[in-house]
Amino acid sequence: MTPPGDRDARDLTAVPLADAVDAMERVALVLFDRDMRITAIHGGAVAARGLDPDQMVGRWAPDVVPAHAWETLGPMYARALDGEITTVDYTTDDGEEVYETIICPVYTDGVLTGGIATARSVTEERRARKELAETARQFRTMAETSLEGHCRHRPDGTILWASPAMESLLGYPPETLVGITGGVIVHPDDRAAREEAYARLRETREPVTFELRCRHADGGHRWFEMTLRGSFDDAG
């Protein structure tokens, strides 16, 4: 996969790394020449899909790659032979697996001699991402329709997002709260309690519930029960 002018691409079939790739059940490497004939296959993902790599090598790719896959991958093979690199998430026809597939040109002595398709199963990653997005969507729907006020903060207390209910509770349109530090609208006598709650959250990583007064848009103050919940990364 070396572009013209750089060092020659090495034949993967001659590299011991191929043996390691063959042991990977969720990975596939397919090499093909300028005529789009498959010259080598490595990795266990091809066999895992019920295909016989030995029966595919030496044959024209459109004849042996399943039709459903070729609809997506065929144009990418052609673009590799024009010198392009393309990437796609390919979903198998049964919908069971998703493969992140990269197809690149291969150069030998500065001349384009074929291409290589690299596929890696990302099924669990994509499923987790989809579930996370759905969870976020459901939470936002709940937060935006709840009569309780919700805010998302930076660690320093700066408000990043406020739910519509904040306007009915405090009289401020939600967008006017974004960017301010929550402590600005907290009664001066209650700011120490707020800082203590943040400190307890950082120390215990457990939700902290407390009471304080916040300034309403009409100039008065209202008592609220507040609950802080933290979102922590691996570093804490």
Side-chain angles (χ1 to χ4, degrees):
M1 295 183 293
T2 308
D6 292 339
R7 64 181 183 180
D8 293 341
R10 301 183 65 186
D11 182 352
L12 186 63
T13 60
V15 180
L17 177 62
D19 294 334
V21 175
D22 284 335
M24 299 179 183
E25 296 181 357
R26 301 169 67 83
V27 172
L29 299 181
V30 179
L31 287 89
F32 53 96
D33 62 18
R34 289 289 310 238
D35 296 323
M36 217 174 282
R37 295 189 181 279
I38 296 175
T39 58
I41 296 178
H42 295 280
V46 173
R49 297 304 304 168
L51 302 172
D52 184 350
D54 292 336
Q55 297 297 318
M56 299 173 70
V57 174
R59 299 179 63 186
W60 196 41
D63 286 344
V64 292
V65 176
H68 175 268
W70 192 250
E71 289 180 6
T72 300
L73 304 180
M76 296 173 64
Y77 273 57
R79 291 170 68 179
L81 295 178
D82 284 334
E84 295 185 45
I85 299 174
T86 53
T87 303
V88 70
D89 274 2
Y90 162 69
T91 302
T92 56
D93 55 354
D94 57 12
E96 293 296 320
E97 291 284 340
V98 179
Y99 290 91
E100 181 183 68
T101 304
I102 304 172
I103 303 183
C104 309
V106 170
Y107 296 89
T108 302
D109 294 328
V111 177
L112 192 150
T113 56
I116 180 171
T118 305
R120 176 179 70 92
S121 177
V122 290
T123 306
E124 296 305 320
E125 296 172 30
R126 297 300 185 262
R127 182 177 294 126
R129 181 186 299 174
K130 182 177 180 180
E131 291 175 353
L132 183 61
E134 176 61 18
T135 299
R137 185 192 67 79
Q138 292 178 357
F139 171 78
R140 194 174 189 97
T141 298
M142 178 195 71
E144 290 181 346
T145 57
S146 173
L147 296 179
E148 295 182 335
H150 298 268
C151 293
R152 188 162 62 90
H153 301 257
R154 288 197 182 101
D156 65 2
T158 302
I159 297 175
L160 299 173
W161 172 83
S163 71
M166 294 301 295
E167 184 166 8
S168 63
L169 294 173
L170 287 173
Y172 304 104
E175 60 272 15
T176 66
L177 296 173
V178 174
I180 71 169
T181 300
V184 171
I185 59 175
V186 173
H187 192 287
D189 293 344
D190 298 333
R191 289 173 185 170
R194 177 179 176 274
E195 293 303 316
E196 180 184 348
Y198 267 94
R200 286 169 53 198
L201 175 67
R202 286 189 290 267
E203 178 182 354
T204 66
R205 301 195 185 187
E206 296 294 332
V208 179
T209 299
F210 61 105
E211 294 183 353
L212 51 64
R213 287 162 290 181
C214 290
R215 187 180 69 246
H216 194 276
D218 63 12
H221 286 82
R222 307 286 193 276
W223 278 101
F224 292 97
E225 180 183 80
M226 311 282 285
T227 299
L228 291 175
R229 294 179 175 85
S231 177
F232 296 90
D233 60 18
D234 293 340

